[in-house]
Coordinates of all heavy atoms in Angstrom, one line a residue:
M1 N -44.7 10.1 -47.2 CA -46.1 9.9 -47.2 C -46.8 11.3 -47.1 O -46.4 12.1 -46.2 CB -46.5 9.0 -46.0 CG -47.8 8.3 -46.2 SD -48.1 7.3 -44.8 CE -48.4 5.8 -45.6
S2 N -47.7 11.6 -47.9 CA -48.3 12.9 -47.9 C -49.4 12.9 -46.8 O -49.8 11.9 -46.3 CB -48.9 13.3 -49.2 OG -50.0 12.4 -49.5
Q3 N -49.9 14.1 -46.5 CA -50.9 14.3 -45.5 C -52.2 13.6 -45.9 O -52.8 13.0 -45.0 CB -51.2 15.8 -45.3 CG -52.1 16.1 -44.1 CD -51.5 15.7 -42.8 OE1 -50.3 15.7 -42.6 NE2 -52.4 15.5 -41.8
N4 N -52.6 13.6 -47.2 CA -53.8 12.9 -47.6 C -53.7 11.4 -47.5 O -54.6 10.7 -47.0 CB -54.1 13.3 -49.1 CG -55.4 12.9 -49.5 OD1 -56.3 12.7 -48.7 ND2 -55.6 12.8 -50.8
N5 N -52.5 10.8 -47.8 CA -52.3 9.4 -47.7 C -52.3 9.0 -46.2 O -52.8 7.9 -45.8 CB -51.0 9.0 -48.3 CG -51.1 9.0 -49.8 OD1 -52.1 9.0 -50.4 ND2 -49.9 9.0 -50.5
L6 N -51.8 9.9 -45.4 CA -51.7 9.6 -43.9 C -53.1 9.6 -43.4 O -53.5 8.7 -42.6 CB -50.9 10.6 -43.2 CG -50.7 10.4 -41.7 CD1 -50.0 9.1 -41.4 CD2 -49.9 11.6 -41.1
N7 N -54.0 10.5 -43.8 CA -55.4 10.5 -43.3 C -56.1 9.3 -43.8 O -56.9 8.7 -43.1 CB -56.1 11.8 -43.8 CG -55.6 13.1 -43.0 OD1 -55.1 12.9 -41.9 ND2 -55.7 14.2 -43.6
N8 N -55.9 8.9 -45.0 CA -56.6 7.7 -45.5 C -56.1 6.4 -44.8 O -56.9 5.5 -44.5 CB -56.3 7.5 -47.0 CG -57.0 8.5 -47.9 OD1 -58.0 9.1 -47.4 ND2 -56.5 8.8 -49.0
F9 N -54.9 6.5 -44.3 CA -54.3 5.3 -43.6 C -54.9 5.3 -42.2 O -55.2 4.2 -41.7 CB -52.8 5.4 -43.5 CG -52.1 4.3 -42.8 CD1 -52.1 3.0 -43.5 CD2 -51.5 4.5 -41.6 CE1 -51.4 2.0 -42.8 CE2 -50.9 3.4 -41.0 CZ -50.9 2.2 -41.6
L10 N -55.1 6.4 -41.6 CA -55.6 6.5 -40.2 C -57.1 6.5 -40.1 O -57.6 6.4 -39.0 CB -55.0 7.7 -39.5 CG -53.5 7.7 -39.3 CD1 -53.0 9.0 -38.7 CD2 -53.0 6.5 -38.4
D11 N -57.8 6.6 -41.2 CA -59.3 6.7 -41.1 C -59.9 5.4 -40.4 O -60.9 5.6 -39.7 CB -59.9 6.8 -42.5 CG -59.8 8.3 -42.9 OD1 -59.7 9.1 -42.0 OD2 -59.9 8.6 -44.2
P12 N -59.5 4.2 -40.6 CA -60.1 3.1 -40.0 C -60.0 3.1 -38.4 O -60.8 2.6 -37.7 CB -59.3 1.8 -40.5 CG -58.8 2.3 -41.8 CD -58.5 3.8 -41.7
L13 N -59.0 3.9 -37.9 CA -58.9 4.0 -36.5 C -60.0 4.8 -35.8 O -60.2 4.7 -34.7 CB -57.5 4.6 -36.1 CG -56.3 3.7 -36.5 CD1 -55.0 4.5 -36.1 CD2 -56.4 2.4 -35.8
K14 N -60.7 5.6 -36.6 CA -61.7 6.4 -36.1 C -62.9 5.6 -35.7 O -63.8 5.9 -34.8 CB -62.2 7.5 -37.1 CG -61.1 8.5 -37.3 CD -61.6 9.5 -38.4 CE -60.5 10.6 -38.6 NZ -60.8 11.5 -39.7
A15 N -63.0 4.4 -36.2 CA -64.2 3.5 -35.9 C -63.9 2.7 -34.6 O -64.8 2.0 -34.1 CB -64.4 2.5 -37.0
V16 N -62.8 2.7 -34.1 CA -62.4 2.0 -32.9 C -63.1 2.7 -31.7 O -63.0 3.9 -31.4 CB -60.9 1.9 -32.6 CG1 -60.6 1.2 -31.3 CG2 -60.3 1.2 -33.8
E17 N -63.8 1.9 -30.9 CA -64.5 2.4 -29.7 C -63.6 2.1 -28.4 O -62.9 1.1 -28.3 CB -65.8 1.8 -29.5 CG -66.8 2.1 -30.6 CD -68.1 1.4 -30.4 OE1 -68.4 0.9 -29.3 OE2 -68.8 1.3 -31.4
K18 N -63.7 3.0 -27.5 CA -63.0 2.9 -26.3 C -63.7 1.8 -25.4 O -64.9 1.9 -25.2 CB -62.9 4.2 -25.5 CG -62.0 4.2 -24.3 CD -61.8 5.5 -23.7 CE -60.9 5.5 -22.5 NZ -60.6 6.7 -21.9
V19 N -62.9 1.0 -24.8 CA -63.5 -0.1 -24.0 C -63.2 0.2 -22.5 O -62.1 0.6 -22.2 CB -62.9 -1.5 -24.4 CG1 -63.4 -2.6 -23.5 CG2 -63.1 -1.8 -25.8
E20 N -64.2 0.0 -21.7 CA -64.0 0.2 -20.2 C -63.5 -1.1 -19.7 O -64.0 -2.2 -19.9 CB -65.4 0.5 -19.6 CG -65.9 1.9 -19.8 CD -65.0 3.0 -19.1 OE1 -64.4 2.7 -18.0 OE2 -64.7 4.0 -19.8
I21 N -62.5 -1.0 -18.9 CA -61.9 -2.2 -18.3 C -62.5 -2.4 -16.9 O -62.8 -1.4 -16.2 CB -60.3 -2.1 -18.1 CG1 -59.9 -0.9 -17.3 CG2 -59.7 -2.1 -19.5 CD1 -58.5 -0.9 -17.0
P22 N -62.7 -3.6 -16.4 CA -63.2 -3.8 -15.1 C -62.2 -3.4 -14.0 O -61.0 -3.5 -14.2 CB -63.4 -5.3 -15.0 CG -63.3 -5.9 -16.4 CD -62.5 -4.9 -17.2
P23 N -62.6 -2.7 -12.9 CA -61.7 -2.2 -11.9 C -60.8 -3.2 -11.3 O -59.7 -2.9 -11.0 CB -62.7 -1.6 -10.9 CG -64.0 -1.7 -11.4 CD -64.0 -2.5 -12.6
F24 N -61.3 -4.4 -11.1 CA -60.5 -5.5 -10.5 C -59.3 -5.9 -11.4 O -58.3 -6.2 -10.9 CB -61.3 -6.7 -10.1 CG -61.9 -7.5 -11.2 CD1 -61.2 -8.5 -11.8 CD2 -63.2 -7.1 -11.7 CE1 -61.8 -9.2 -12.8 CE2 -63.7 -7.9 -12.8 CZ -63.0 -8.9 -13.3
L25 N -59.6 -5.9 -12.7 CA -58.5 -6.2 -13.6 C -57.4 -5.1 -13.5 O -56.2 -5.5 -13.5 CB -59.0 -6.4 -15.0 CG -58.0 -6.6 -16.1 CD1 -57.3 -8.0 -15.9 CD2 -58.6 -6.6 -17.5
F26 N -57.7 -3.9 -13.5 CA -56.8 -2.8 -13.4 C -56.0 -2.9 -12.1 O -54.8 -2.7 -12.1 CB -57.5 -1.5 -13.5 CG -56.6 -0.3 -13.6 CD1 -55.7 -0.1 -14.6 CD2 -56.6 0.6 -12.5 CE1 -54.8 1.0 -14.6 CE2 -55.7 1.7 -12.5 CZ -54.9 1.9 -13.6
L27 N -56.7 -3.3 -11.0 CA -56.0 -3.4 -9.7 C -55.0 -4.5 -9.7 O -53.9 -4.4 -9.1 CB -57.0 -3.6 -8.6 CG -57.8 -2.3 -8.2 CD1 -58.9 -2.7 -7.1 CD2 -56.9 -1.3 -7.6
R28 N -55.4 -5.6 -10.3 CA -54.5 -6.8 -10.4 C -53.3 -6.5 -11.2 O -52.2 -6.9 -10.9 CB -55.2 -8.0 -11.0 CG -56.3 -8.6 -10.1 CD -56.9 -9.8 -10.8 NE -56.6 -10.9 -9.9 CZ -56.8 -12.2 -10.3 NH1 -57.1 -12.4 -11.5 NH2 -56.5 -13.1 -9.5
I29 N -53.4 -5.8 -12.3 CA -52.3 -5.3 -13.1 C -51.3 -4.4 -12.3 O -50.2 -4.6 -12.3 CB -52.8 -4.7 -14.4 CG1 -53.4 -5.7 -15.3 CG2 -51.6 -4.0 -15.2 CD1 -54.1 -5.1 -16.5
E30 N -52.0 -3.5 -11.6 CA -51.2 -2.6 -10.7 C -50.4 -3.3 -9.7 O -49.2 -3.0 -9.4 CB -52.0 -1.5 -10.1 CG -52.4 -0.3 -11.0 CD -53.2 0.7 -10.3 OE1 -54.0 0.4 -9.3 OE2 -53.1 1.9 -10.7
Q31 N -51.0 -4.3 -9.0 CA -50.4 -5.1 -8.0 C -49.2 -5.9 -8.6 O -48.2 -6.0 -7.9 CB -51.4 -6.0 -7.3 CG -52.3 -5.3 -6.4 CD -53.4 -6.3 -5.9 OE1 -53.6 -7.4 -6.4 NE2 -54.2 -5.8 -4.9
K32 N -49.4 -6.5 -9.7 CA -48.3 -7.2 -10.3 C -47.1 -6.3 -10.6 O -45.9 -6.7 -10.4 CB -48.7 -7.9 -11.6 CG -49.6 -9.1 -11.3 CD -49.9 -9.9 -12.6 CE -50.7 -11.1 -12.3 NZ -51.1 -11.9 -13.4
I33 N -47.4 -5.1 -11.1 CA -46.3 -4.2 -11.4 C -45.6 -3.8 -10.1 O -44.4 -3.7 -10.0 CB -46.8 -3.0 -12.1 CG1 -47.3 -3.3 -13.6 CG2 -45.8 -1.8 -12.2 CD1 -48.1 -2.3 -14.3
Q34 N -46.4 -3.6 -9.0 CA -45.8 -3.2 -7.8 C -44.9 -4.3 -7.2 O -43.8 -4.1 -6.7 CB -46.9 -2.8 -6.8 CG -46.4 -2.3 -5.5 CD -47.5 -1.9 -4.6 OE1 -48.7 -2.1 -4.9 NE2 -47.2 -1.3 -3.5
V35 N -45.4 -5.5 -7.3 CA -44.6 -6.7 -6.8 C -43.3 -6.8 -7.6 O -42.2 -7.1 -6.9 CB -45.4 -8.0 -6.9 CG1 -44.6 -9.2 -6.7 CG2 -46.6 -7.9 -5.9
I36 N -43.3 -6.6 -8.8 CA -42.1 -6.7 -9.7 C -41.1 -5.6 -9.2 O -39.9 -5.8 -9.1 CB -42.4 -6.6 -11.2 CG1 -43.1 -7.9 -11.6 CG2 -41.2 -6.4 -12.0 CD1 -43.7 -7.8 -13.0
R37 N -41.6 -4.4 -9.0 CA -40.7 -3.3 -8.5 C -40.2 -3.5 -7.2 O -39.0 -3.2 -6.9 CB -41.5 -2.0 -8.6 CG -41.7 -1.4 -9.9 CD -42.4 -0.1 -9.9 NE -42.6 0.4 -11.3 CZ -43.4 1.4 -11.5 NH1 -44.0 2.0 -10.6 NH2 -43.5 1.8 -12.8
E38 N -41.0 -4.2 -6.3 CA -40.5 -4.4 -4.9 C -39.5 -5.5 -4.9 O -38.6 -5.5 -4.0 CB -41.6 -4.7 -4.0 CG -42.5 -3.6 -3.7 CD -43.8 -4.1 -2.9 OE1 -44.0 -5.3 -2.7 OE2 -44.5 -3.2 -2.5
N39 N -39.5 -6.4 -5.8 CA -38.6 -7.6 -5.8 C -37.3 -7.3 -6.6 O -36.5 -8.3 -6.7 CB -39.3 -8.9 -6.3 CG -40.4 -9.3 -5.3 OD1 -40.3 -9.1 -4.2 ND2 -41.4 -10.0 -5.8
T40 N -37.1 -6.2 -7.1 CA -35.9 -5.9 -7.8 C -34.8 -5.3 -6.9 O -35.1 -4.7 -5.9 CB -36.1 -5.0 -9.0 OG1 -36.7 -3.8 -8.6 CG2 -37.1 -5.7 -10.0
I41 N -33.6 -5.5 -7.3 CA -32.5 -4.9 -6.5 C -32.0 -3.7 -7.3 O -31.8 -3.8 -8.5 CB -31.3 -5.9 -6.3 CG1 -31.8 -7.1 -5.5 CG2 -30.1 -5.3 -5.7 CD1 -30.9 -8.2 -5.4
S42 N -31.7 -2.6 -6.6 CA -31.2 -1.4 -7.3 C -29.7 -1.7 -7.8 O -29.1 -2.6 -7.3 CB -31.2 -0.2 -6.4 OG -30.3 -0.4 -5.3
K43 N -29.3 -0.9 -8.7 CA -28.0 -1.0 -9.3 C -26.9 -0.8 -8.2 O -25.9 -1.5 -8.1 CB -27.7 -0.1 -10.4 CG -28.4 -0.5 -11.7 CD -28.0 0.4 -12.9 CE -28.7 -0.1 -14.1 NZ -28.3 0.8 -15.3
K44 N -27.2 0.2 -7.3 CA -26.3 0.5 -6.2 C -26.1 -0.7 -5.3 O -25.0 -1.0 -4.9 CB -26.8 1.7 -5.5 CG -25.8 2.3 -4.5 CD -26.4 3.5 -3.8 CE -25.4 4.0 -2.8 NZ -25.9 5.3 -2.1
M45 N -27.2 -1.3 -4.9 CA -27.2 -2.5 -4.0 C -26.5 -3.6 -4.8 O -25.7 -4.3 -4.1 CB -28.6 -2.9 -3.6 CG -28.6 -4.1 -2.8 SD -27.8 -3.8 -1.2 CE -29.2 -3.2 -0.2
G46 N -26.7 -3.8 -6.0 CA -26.1 -4.9 -6.8 C -24.6 -4.7 -6.8 O -23.8 -5.7 -6.5
W47 N -24.1 -3.6 -7.1 CA -22.7 -3.3 -7.1 C -22.0 -3.5 -5.8 O -20.9 -3.9 -5.6 CB -22.4 -1.9 -7.7 CG -22.5 -1.9 -9.2 CD1 -23.4 -1.2 -9.9 CD2 -21.6 -2.5 -10.1 NE1 -23.1 -1.5 -11.3 CE2 -22.0 -2.3 -11.4 CE3 -20.4 -3.3 -9.9 CZ2 -21.4 -2.8 -12.5 CZ3 -19.8 -3.8 -11.1 CH2 -20.3 -3.5 -12.4
S48 N -22.7 -3.0 -4.7 CA -22.2 -3.2 -3.3 C -22.1 -4.6 -3.0 O -21.1 -5.1 -2.4 CB -23.0 -2.4 -2.3 OG -24.3 -2.9 -2.3
L49 N -23.1 -5.5 -3.4 CA -23.0 -6.9 -3.1 C -21.8 -7.6 -3.9 O -21.1 -8.4 -3.4 CB -24.3 -7.6 -3.5 CG -25.5 -7.3 -2.6 CD1 -26.8 -7.9 -3.1 CD2 -25.2 -7.8 -1.2
V50 N -21.7 -7.2 -5.1 CA -20.6 -7.8 -6.0 C -19.2 -7.4 -5.3 O -18.3 -8.2 -5.3 CB -20.7 -7.3 -7.4 CG1 -19.5 -7.6 -8.2 CG2 -22.0 -7.9 -8.1
T51 N -19.1 -6.1 -5.0 CA -17.8 -5.7 -4.4 C -17.5 -6.3 -3.1 O -16.4 -6.8 -2.9 CB -17.9 -4.1 -4.1 OG1 -18.3 -3.5 -5.4 CG2 -16.6 -3.6 -3.6
S52 N -18.5 -6.5 -2.2 CA -18.3 -7.1 -0.9 C -17.9 -8.6 -1.1 O -17.0 -9.2 -0.5 CB -19.5 -7.0 0.0 OG -20.6 -7.6 -0.6
V53 N -18.6 -9.4 -2.0 CA -18.3 -10.7 -2.2 C -16.9 -10.9 -2.9 O -16.1 -11.8 -2.5 CB -19.3 -11.4 -3.1 CG1 -18.9 -12.8 -3.7 CG2 -20.7 -11.5 -2.4
S54 N -16.5 -9.9 -3.7 CA -15.2 -10.0 -4.4 C -14.1 -9.7 -3.3 O -13.1 -10.4 -3.3 CB -15.1 -8.9 -5.4 OG -16.0 -9.1 -6.4
L55 N -14.4 -8.8 -2.4 CA -13.4 -8.5 -1.3 C -13.2 -9.8 -0.4 O -12.1 -10.1 0.0 CB -13.7 -7.3 -0.5 CG -13.6 -6.0 -1.3 CD1 -14.2 -4.9 -0.4 CD2 -12.1 -5.7 -1.5
I56 N -14.3 -10.4 -0.1 CA -14.2 -11.6 0.7 C -13.4 -12.7 0.0 O -12.6 -13.4 0.7 CB -15.6 -12.1 1.1 CG1 -16.3 -11.1 2.1 CG2 -15.6 -13.5 1.7 CD1 -17.7 -11.4 2.4
V57 N -13.7 -12.9 -1.2 CA -13.0 -13.9 -2.0 C -11.5 -13.6 -2.1 O -10.6 -14.5 -1.8 CB -13.5 -14.1 -3.4 CG1 -12.7 -14.9 -4.3 CG2 -14.9 -14.7 -3.3
L58 N -11.1 -12.3 -2.3 CA -9.7 -12.0 -2.4 C -9.1 -12.1 -1.0 O -7.9 -12.5 -0.9 CB -9.6 -10.5 -2.8 CG -9.9 -10.2 -4.3 CD1 -9.9 -8.8 -4.7 CD2 -8.8 -11.0 -5.2
F59 N -9.7 -11.8 0.0 CA -9.2 -12.0 1.4 C -8.9 -13.4 1.7 O -7.9 -13.8 2.2 CB -10.1 -11.4 2.4 CG -9.7 -11.5 3.8 CD1 -8.6 -10.7 4.2 CD2 -10.2 -12.4 4.7 CE1 -8.1 -10.8 5.6 CE2 -9.8 -12.5 6.0 CZ -8.7 -11.7 6.5
N60 N -9.8 -14.3 1.3 CA -9.7 -15.8 1.5 C -8.5 -16.3 0.7 O -7.7 -17.1 1.1 CB -10.9 -16.5 1.2 CG -12.0 -16.4 2.2 OD1 -11.7 -16.1 3.4 ND2 -13.2 -16.5 1.8
V61 N -8.3 -15.8 -0.6 CA -7.2 -16.2 -1.4 C -5.9 -15.7 -0.8 O -4.9 -16.5 -0.7 CB -7.4 -15.7 -2.8 CG1 -6.1 -15.8 -3.6 CG2 -8.5 -16.4 -3.5
F62 N -5.9 -14.5 -0.3 CA -4.7 -14.0 0.4 C -4.3 -14.8 1.6 O -3.1 -15.2 1.8 CB -4.9 -12.5 0.8 CG -3.8 -12.0 1.6 CD1 -2.6 -11.6 1.0 CD2 -3.9 -11.8 2.9 CE1 -1.5 -11.1 1.7 CE2 -2.9 -11.2 3.7 CZ -1.7 -10.9 3.1
I63 N -5.3 -15.2 2.4 CA -5.0 -16.0 3.6 C -4.5 -17.4 3.2 O -3.6 -17.9 3.8 CB -6.3 -16.1 4.5 CG1 -6.7 -14.7 5.0 CG2 -6.1 -17.1 5.6 CD1 -5.6 -14.1 6.0
M64 N -5.1 -18.0 2.2 CA -4.7 -19.3 1.8 C -3.3 -19.3 1.2 O -2.5 -20.2 1.5 CB -5.7 -19.9 0.7 CG -7.1 -20.1 1.3 SD -7.1 -21.3 2.5 CE -6.9 -22.8 1.6
T65 N -2.9 -18.3 0.5 CA -1.6 -18.2 -0.1 C -0.6 -18.0 1.0 O 0.5 -18.5 1.0 CB -1.4 -17.2 -1.2 OG1 -1.9 -15.9 -0.7 CG2 -2.3 -17.6 -2.4
Q66 N -0.9 -17.2 2.0 CA 0.0 -16.9 3.1 C 0.2 -18.2 3.9 O 1.3 -18.4 4.4 CB -0.5 -15.8 4.0 CG -0.5 -14.4 3.3 CD 0.9 -14.0 2.9 OE1 1.8 -14.2 3.7 NE2 1.1 -13.5 1.7
S67 N -0.8 -18.9 4.2 CA -0.7 -20.1 5.0 C 0.1 -21.2 4.2 O 0.8 -22.0 4.8 CB -2.0 -20.7 5.3 OG -2.7 -21.1 4.2
L68 N 0.1 -21.2 2.9 CA 0.9 -22.2 2.1 C 2.3 -21.8 2.1 O 3.2 -22.6 2.0 CB 0.4 -22.3 0.7 CG -1.0 -22.9 0.5 CD1 -1.5 -22.9 -0.9 CD2 -1.0 -24.4 1.0
L69 N 2.6 -20.5 2.2 CA 4.0 -20.0 2.2 C 4.7 -20.1 3.5 O 6.0 -20.1 3.6 CB 4.1 -18.6 1.6 CG 3.6 -18.4 0.2 CD1 3.6 -16.9 -0.1 CD2 4.5 -19.1 -0.8
M70 N 4.0 -20.2 4.6 CA 4.6 -20.3 5.9 C 5.3 -21.6 6.1 O 4.6 -22.7 5.7 CB 3.5 -20.1 7.0 CG 3.0 -18.7 7.2 SD 1.8 -18.8 8.5 CE 2.2 -17.2 9.3
P71 N 6.4 -21.7 6.7 CA 7.0 -23.0 7.0 C 6.2 -23.7 8.1 O 5.8 -23.0 9.1 CB 8.4 -22.6 7.5 CG 8.3 -21.2 7.9 CD 7.2 -20.6 7.1
T72 N 6.0 -24.9 7.9 CA 5.2 -25.7 8.9 C 6.1 -26.5 9.7 O 7.1 -27.1 9.3 CB 4.2 -26.6 8.2 OG1 4.9 -27.5 7.4 CG2 3.2 -25.8 7.5
E73 N 5.9 -26.6 11.0 CA 6.6 -27.4 11.9 C 6.1 -28.8 11.9 O 4.9 -29.1 11.9 CB 6.6 -26.8 13.3 CG 7.3 -25.5 13.4 CD 7.3 -24.9 14.8 OE1 7.0 -25.7 15.8 OE2 7.5 -23.7 15.0
K74 N 6.9 -29.8 12.0 CA 6.5 -31.2 12.0 C 6.2 -31.7 13.4 O 5.9 -32.9 13.5 CB 7.6 -32.1 11.4 CG 8.0 -31.7 9.9 CD 6.9 -32.1 9.0 CE 7.4 -31.7 7.6 NZ 6.4 -32.0 6.6
N75 N 6.3 -30.9 14.4 CA 6.0 -31.4 15.7 C 4.5 -31.5 15.9 O 3.7 -30.7 15.5 CB 6.6 -30.4 16.7 CG 8.1 -30.4 16.7 OD1 8.7 -31.3 16.2 ND2 8.6 -29.3 17.3
N76 N 4.1 -32.6 16.5 CA 2.8 -32.7 16.9 C 2.7 -32.7 18.4 O 3.7 -32.5 19.1 CB 2.1 -34.0 16.3 CG 2.8 -35.2 16.7 OD1 3.6 -35.3 17.7 ND2 2.6 -36.3 16.0
L77 N 1.6 -33.0 19.0 CA 1.4 -32.9 20.4 C 2.2 -33.9 21.2 O 2.8 -33.6 22.2 CB -0.1 -33.0 20.7 CG -0.5 -32.9 22.2 CD1 -0.1 -31.6 22.8 CD2 -2.0 -33.3 22.4
L78 N 2.3 -35.1 20.6 CA 3.0 -36.2 21.3 C 4.5 -35.8 21.3 O 5.2 -36.1 22.3 CB 2.8 -37.5 20.6 CG 1.4 -38.1 20.7 CD1 1.3 -39.3 19.9 CD2 1.0 -38.3 22.2
Q79 N 5.0 -35.3 20.3 CA 6.5 -35.0 20.2 C 6.7 -33.8 21.1 O 7.8 -33.7 21.8 CB 6.9 -34.7 18.8 CG 6.9 -35.9 18.0 CD 7.2 -35.5 16.5 OE1 7.1 -34.4 16.1 NE2 7.6 -36.6 15.7
S80 N 5.8 -32.8 21.2 CA 6.1 -31.7 22.1 C 6.0 -32.0 23.5 O 6.7 -31.4 24.4 CB 5.1 -30.6 21.7 OG 3.8 -31.0 22.1
L81 N 5.3 -33.1 23.9 CA 5.2 -33.5 25.3 C 6.2 -34.6 25.6 O 6.3 -35.1 26.7 CB 3.8 -34.0 25.6 CG 2.7 -33.0 25.6 CD1 1.3 -33.7 25.8 CD2 2.9 -31.9 26.6
Q82 N 7.1 -34.9 24.6 CA 8.1 -35.9 24.6 C 7.5 -37.3 25.0 O 8.1 -38.0 25.9 CB 9.2 -35.5 25.6 CG 9.9 -34.3 25.1 CD 10.9 -33.8 26.1 OE1 11.0 -34.3 27.3 NE2 11.7 -32.8 25.7
I83 N 6.4 -37.7 24.4 CA 5.9 -39.0 24.6 C 6.2 -39.8 23.4 O 6.0 -39.4 22.2 CB 4.3 -38.9 24.8 CG1 4.0 -38.0 26.0 CG2 3.7 -40.3 24.8 CD1 2.5 -37.8 26.1
N84 N 6.7 -41.0 23.6 CA 7.1 -41.9 22.6 C 5.9 -42.6 22.0 O 5.2 -43.3 22.7 CB 8.2 -42.9 23.1 CG 8.8 -43.7 22.0 OD1 8.5 -43.4 20.8 ND2 9.6 -44.6 22.4
N85 N 5.7 -42.5 20.8 CA 4.5 -43.1 20.2 C 4.9 -44.3 19.3 O 4.1 -44.7 18.5 CB 3.8 -42.1 19.3 CG 4.6 -41.5 18.2 OD1 5.7 -41.7 18.2 ND2 3.9 -40.8 17.3
S86 N 6.0 -44.9 19.6 CA 6.4 -46.1 18.9 C 5.7 -47.2 19.4 O 5.5 -47.4 20.6 CB 7.9 -46.2 19.1 OG 8.3 -47.4 18.6
N87 N 5.3 -48.1 18.5 CA 4.6 -49.4 18.9 C 5.6 -50.6 18.8 O 5.1 -51.7 18.9 CB 3.5 -49.6 17.9 CG 2.4 -48.6 18.1 OD1 2.2 -48.0 19.2 ND2 1.7 -48.3 17.0
S88 N 6.8 -50.3 18.8 CA 7.7 -51.5 18.8 C 7.8 -52.1 20.2 O 7.7 -51.5 21.2 CB 9.1 -51.0 18.3 OG 9.7 -50.2 19.3
L89 N 8.1 -53.5 20.1 CA 8.1 -54.2 21.4 C 9.5 -54.0 22.1 O 9.5 -54.0 23.3 CB 7.9 -55.7 21.1 CG 6.5 -56.0 20.6 CD1 6.4 -57.5 20.3 CD2 5.4 -55.6 21.7
Y90 N 10.5 -53.8 21.3 CA 11.8 -53.6 21.9 C 12.3 -52.2 21.5 O 12.4 -51.8 20.4 CB 12.8 -54.7 21.3 CG 12.2 -56.1 21.6 CD1 11.7 -56.8 20.5 CD2 12.3 -56.6 22.8 CE1 11.2 -58.1 20.7 CE2 11.8 -57.9 23.1 CZ 11.3 -58.6 22.0 OH 10.8 -59.9 22.2
P91 N 12.8 -51.5 22.5 CA 13.3 -50.2 22.2 C 14.6 -50.1 21.5 O 15.4 -50.8 21.2 CB 13.5 -49.5 23.6 CG 13.2 -50.6 24.6 CD 12.7 -51.8 23.9

């Protein structure tokens, strides 16, 4: 596009007048932008949260697998105190 064509294309923009915005509208827009910025989490905080939750999940998985691999004793409280829990009428 040549310079002459560009000027012809941009000539209608010279007729546009600047509009004054009401001050309360500008303040409301600024407040909305500020609220959005305050309610966001930084990338550093996001990564630290993801890392900590992942570590907690891995720790829980480790504990669960270790408890499943441990041999369990079949003794309960009654057997350890040598109390007979049989309901038979005749021994």
Side-chain angles (χ1 to χ4, degrees):
M1 203 179 235
S2 69
Q3 186 67 22
N4 193 19
N5 288 340
L6 185 60
N7 287 337
N8 289 338
F9 182 73
L10 295 176
D11 279 340
L13 293 178
K14 292 179 183 176
V16 174
E17 295 178 17
K18 187 174 182 177
V19 178
E20 286 293 323
I21 61 169
F24 66 90
L25 177 65
F26 185 66
L27 286 175
R28 290 181 119 198
I29 293 171
E30 280 184 330
Q31 286 175 348
K32 285 185 180 183
I33 292 171
Q34 186 177 6
V35 166
I36 290 171
R37 285 184 181 166
E38 288 174 354
N39 291 335
T40 57
I41 297 176
S42 67
K43 286 186 179 182
K44 185 177 180 180
M45 179 63 89
W47 280 111
S48 63
L49 289 173
V50 167
T51 303
S52 61
V53 168
S54 300
L55 288 174
I56 290 171
V57 168
L58 286 174
F59 181 71
N60 284 334
V61 168
F62 175 75
I63 295 297
M64 294 298 285
T65 56
Q66 290 299 318
S67 67
L68 291 175
L69 295 177
M70 285 182 142
T72 57
E73 295 182 15
K74 300 288 183 182
N75 294 339
N76 60 17
L77 180 63
L78 294 176
Q79 290 174 343
S80 64
L81 296 175
Q82 296 177 351
I83 297 175
N84 189 3
N85 61 349
S86 172
N87 292 330
S88 67
L89 296 174
Y90 304 107

